[in-house]
Amino acid sequence: MGTLVPMKHMDTLLERNRAFARTDAKDRVPAVPFIPNRQLVVLTCIDPRVDPAQVLGLELGDAIVVRNVGGRVTASVLRDLEWISHLHREKTPEADWFDIAVVHHTDCGSALFADETLREQFARLGHHDSVELAELAVVDPAKTVAADVETLRAAPLLDPASAVTGYVYDVATGLLTEVV
Ligand SMILES: [Zn+2]
């Protein structure tokens, strides 16, 4: 197992954090953590090029951001969103409902799940289900985003008052296009 090695890249960030703590950004956040300032949930890829804070100009407290490989609606994502819905229903029924934006993007690394050799090797090493991994591949983002929006719209524990929309982000142009 790993020995403790100093992190090369955190020093600058810790400095930035101290500067951040001196601003009033942290005082403009929502009072209830599942009622973000813009009542929005954004689901997108972990790819550093698609950071929604930058791409969508989100400020601290604006949205609940969920990220995984591809920005896919997995069982774990679904459970998180259903949990937020449940909290909303039980704890803050009078508040506005949140909307959900699913963003897939061009040139997504998840497309490599479609590479059989890579995927089979990874599935073997990590004891993962190769068929499930293959389904995560974002090869055609307009197609996968539509499928994931469909899944969310059909999810029984998500409130129908939550509008679910899907977008494709083009990493070359920086533009977001609405798909569904
Ligand atoms: Zn990606």
Side-chain angles (χ1 to χ4, degrees):
M1 294 311 279
T3 46
L4 200 61
V5 285
M7 292 188 77
K8 287 192 189 92
H9 304 290
M10 274 307 287
D11 285 353
T12 317
L13 300 190
L14 289 173
E15 224 168 89
R16 288 184 193 176
N17 169 254
R18 287 188 287 270
F20 162 80
R22 287 192 293 270
T23 70
D24 66 349
K26 62 188 179 304
D27 308 320
R28 286 181 272 116
V29 296
V32 181
F34 48 89
I35 309 287
N37 289 342
R38 290 188 189 273
Q39 275 300 63
L40 181 69
V41 173
V42 179
L43 168 63
T44 193
C45 184
I46 56 172
D47 190 313
R49 297 172 297 176
V50 302
D51 183 348
Q54 303 288 319
V55 169
L56 302 174
L58 292 176
E59 297 196 14
L60 193 68
D62 272 355
I64 292 169
V65 175
V66 185
R67 298 180 75 176
N68 63 18
V69 174
R72 302 308 310 272
V73 175
T74 59
S76 133
V77 165
L78 205 51
R79 191 194 51 204
D80 285 353
L81 296 183
E82 287 178 340
W83 172 239
I84 297 165
S85 267
H86 183 65
L87 288 178
H88 201 312
R89 258 191 308 269
E90 296 298 317
K91 308 281 280 182
T92 53
E94 73 295 339
D96 277 351
W97 271 91
F98 54 81
D99 292 332
I100 305 172
V102 185
V103 180
H104 290 179
H105 70 99
T106 59
D107 192 36
C108 186
S110 71
L112 291 171
F113 278 134
D115 181 317
E116 209 175 316
T117 311
L118 266 181
R119 184 183 71 243
E120 292 291 348
Q121 177 191 42
F122 176 64
R124 220 172 24 251
L125 288 170
H127 308 288
H128 300 298
D129 183 330
S130 179
V131 176
E132 272 176 31
L133 293 176
E135 284 169 3
L136 294 176
V138 174
V139 179
D140 177 351
K143 208 170 133 188
T144 47
V145 90
D148 281 358
V149 164
E150 229 18 76
T151 304
L152 289 177
R153 285 177 180 167
L157 289 185
L158 284 186
D159 198 280
S162 284
V164 188
T165 47
Y167 306 82
V168 170
Y169 175 71
D170 186 323
V171 294
T173 65
L175 283 174
L176 207 66
T177 309
E178 183 165 2
V179 177
V180 271

